[in-house]
Structures are given as structure tokens and as C-alpha cells.
Amino acid sequence: MKATNERIIVFDTETTGMNMTGPHYEGHCIVEIGAVEIINRKLTGNTFHVYIKPDREIDAEAIDVHGITDEFLVDKPTYGEVHQEFMDFIQGAELVAHNAPFDIGFMDYEFGKLDPSIGKTTDFCKVTDTLEMAKRLFPGKRNNLDVLCSRYGIDNSHRTLHGALLDAEILADVYLMMTGGQTSLALSSGSEESDAGAENAIRRLASGRKALKVIRASADEIQAHEARLDIIDKKGDVMWRQ
């Protein structure tokens, strides 16, 4: 199980395209960032979410995935306008993402465009890839986010399109299950916050299995059992009778 005193940021990004080939990802960039904070294995309710106006058009295949259009982003801030707020949120934390090289690669690309002196994400944050974790836990199996939700009984029925904040929230549930089976994500302090935190609980899916039928022994069966124990119990120390 992970240490409980770490500040963890579970995050996701959506981008203008899916192509990661080439040194500049063919100019593709981030259009949405969503992140949630975990401290002491509990969601704190502290989140970061922003839509970003890119400097290029969004590929049609990307729109099919996340539903974010160029028209929607016209009045949104550029990455440079949100960079410092984002850096303040993630600084020094352990970053958790599913297929982390994809998201980290785009973050590093944005950093480099803005100011090469910023450096790389790994210069100021530890990065954990839940896809690699899942591959170790379930070798040879599919391990995308939807599959992991099904495997751990987490309800993601409200996920019809990819969305950075929604995916980060779902991944936080998955991550906690993968690293120790945490099943309650109540907020960490305050009665009002705790009540609000009920909304952050992992939603476990019903298995659909009927409860096991309990068949109790009859009086004759109990008597026969005791007789058998009498044969075995030479020293009066049969553990079933203790």
C-alpha cells in the first residue's frame, strides 16, 4: 500500500490530436486539464479544471473522443494564461495518470513552447503511470480505464465521452483500489465537508449474484458429527470443541 502522507494529484488531459510521433507531436497541444487532489488516501475536494484555447485546429478524430470543438474554445484562456496556476497546483506532488507518457509528453511540450527554462515535469514531480501498474497486476489483459472500472466494480456509466476532470475523478477511484482497496473517499476534515464528500464515494456496481443459501445441519447430522469427534478426540483437545 502507498504511504498515506503523500500529496497525490490524479490528472488527465485532452488534446487537439492523438498523434505522439515526432519531436513536436505534429504541433498538437492540450485543450483541457482536469486534476483532483488526494491526501492521506482521501479526496480533499480540491480540484483543478480548465479548458484551453489551442494555437491550432482540433482534429476530427480527437473531437470524436472528447467532444471539445474549436468553437467552444474560442473564448477560453491560452495555456500561458493558466500555466502558473497549474504549476502551483501540482508542484511537488506525485502525479498519477493513465498512460502517463501521453499526458506528460503534452505537458512538457506546452512547457517548452512557453519557456524552455521551465524544464520537464519530472524535474519537479514524481510521475506514476496506472497503466503500467495495471499491466503488472493483470498481465496480458486489456487495461484501459473502462475495463479497470468494470474489474473493480466502479460505476462509470456517466462517462459517455472522455473529459479530463471526469476521467481524473474516475481514475482516482481506480488508483485507490489498485493501491490498497480503499472503498471510501470521504473528505478528510470537517463535518460539512464530510457530508459533501459522500458524493465522492466510490460507486460500487451491484454484482447481480444471488446471496449464497445457508443450509444448516439437521439434529441427526449434528449427532453423527459429535459421534465422529468422540472417535477422534482421544485427549479432549479437538479444536472444533474449543
Side-chain angles (χ1 to χ4, degrees):
M1 183 182 295
K2 302 286 289 185
T4 60
N5 59 350
E6 296 177 348
R7 180 173 182 263
I8 295 171
I9 301 298
V10 183
F11 80 104
D12 185 53
T13 64
E14 302 299 338
T15 63
T16 58
M18 304 296 137
N19 195 332
M20 286 185 62
T21 61
H24 302 296
Y25 295 170
E26 295 187 356
H28 287 299
C29 47
I30 295 173
V31 296
E32 184 186 12
I33 301 173
V36 299
E37 181 184 60
I38 296 174
I39 297 178
N40 295 330
R41 294 190 58 79
K42 294 179 181 178
L43 285 171
T44 65
N46 192 17
T47 65
F48 179 90
H49 182 228
V50 65
Y51 291 102
I52 297 169
K53 180 171 65 177
D55 54 11
R56 58 160 295 156
E57 292 185 346
I58 304 172
D59 283 359
E61 65 172 351
I63 296 174
D64 289 341
V65 171
H66 52 57
I68 300 171
T69 64
D70 297 303
E71 292 75 18
F72 175 75
L73 297 176
V74 166
D75 60 349
K76 301 303 185 287
T78 64
Y79 177 76
E81 294 174 291
V82 302
H83 170 75
Q84 191 57 54
E85 183 182 359
F86 180 50
M87 291 290 286
D88 291 344
F89 189 77
I90 67 172
Q91 185 75 39
E94 176 181 356
L95 297 183
V96 174
H98 200 66
N99 192 17
F102 179 89
D103 302 281
I104 297 300
F106 277 98
M107 286 170 57
D108 289 347
Y109 178 47
E110 294 288 358
F111 295 167
K113 285 197 303 180
L114 184 63
D115 181 356
S117 68
I118 293 172
K120 303 291 186 182
T121 306
T122 51
D123 293 339
F124 46 85
C125 290
K126 175 185 176 182
V127 176
T128 295
D129 185 1
T130 50
L131 178 57
E132 288 302 315
M133 291 173 58
K135 287 178 179 179
R136 292 193 296 269
L137 290 170
F138 310 105
K141 298 183 180 296
R142 295 177 61 218
N143 288 298
N144 63 41
L145 190 55
D146 287 332
V147 168
L148 290 174
C149 284
S150 177
R151 191 170 291 150
Y152 285 112
I154 295 170
D155 181 10
N156 68 336
S157 57
H158 50 311
R159 184 184 188 240
T160 55
L161 287 172
H162 286 239
L165 183 59
L166 174 60
D167 285 1
E169 291 170 341
I170 293 173
L171 182 59
D173 291 355
V174 170
Y175 171 78
L176 289 169
M177 294 297 291
M178 291 175 70
T179 57
Q182 177 86 25
T183 58
S184 177
L185 302 185
L187 297 180
S188 56
S189 63
S191 58
E192 291 183 4
E193 289 182 342
S194 295
D195 292 340
E199 296 180 0
N200 289 327
I202 292 177
R203 297 170 293 277
R204 301 306 300 268
L205 293 176
S207 66
R209 293 177 294 187
K210 295 181 179 179
L212 294 176
K213 184 178 180 181
V214 177
I215 301 176
R216 302 189 181 279
S218 67
D220 289 343
E221 290 170 332
I222 292 174
Q223 184 177 359
H225 176 69
E226 290 295 328
R228 172 61 62 180
L229 290 182
D230 288 338
I231 296 173
I232 298 173
D233 191 6
K234 301 296 185 181
K235 298 181 180 180
D237 59 359
V238 172
M239 63 179 180
W240 295 285
R241 284 177 165 172
Q242 294 178 1

